[in-house]
Amino acid sequence: MTVLTAVMILGIAAVVGLLVLRLSTPPRHMLPETVALPDGVRAEAVTFGAGWYAVVTDADTILIFDSATGALRQSVEIAPAQ
């Protein structure tokens, strides 16, 4: 019974320690202050890559921007489901 109690205490301490470590680190990527989206378009999701970030819009378009300059690199239209 003592061993089980010790294992439970160590497990809870490990979970608390991992939560503290994960929640105390700042996010790795930050979205720029201003993102130039076309008029009437709203962002639904954002993802980051090496040197770029992509914004998925409600107009079924993915806009890929350069992370250093903020310039639009590419626009990808999402085909409707069939």
Side-chain angles (χ1 to χ4, degrees), residues 3-39:
V3 173
L4 179 61
T5 303
V7 169
M8 293 281 289
I9 290 171
L10 288 175
I12 290 173
V15 168
V16 168
L18 287 173
L19 282 172
V20 167
L21 284 175
R22 293 291 290 171
L23 295 176
S24 65
T25 56
R28 293 183 0 199
H29 298 288
M30 296 299 291
L31 191 61
E33 292 287 328
T34 59
V35 177
L37 296 176
D39 290 334

Side-chain angles (χ1 to χ4, degrees), residues 29-58:
H29 298 288
M30 296 299 291
L31 191 61
E33 292 287 328
T34 59
V35 177
L37 296 176
D39 290 334
V41 174
R42 207 181 69 209
E44 291 191 346
V46 177
T47 190
F48 297 92
W52 58 269
Y53 60 92
V55 178
V56 180
T57 68
D58 59 351

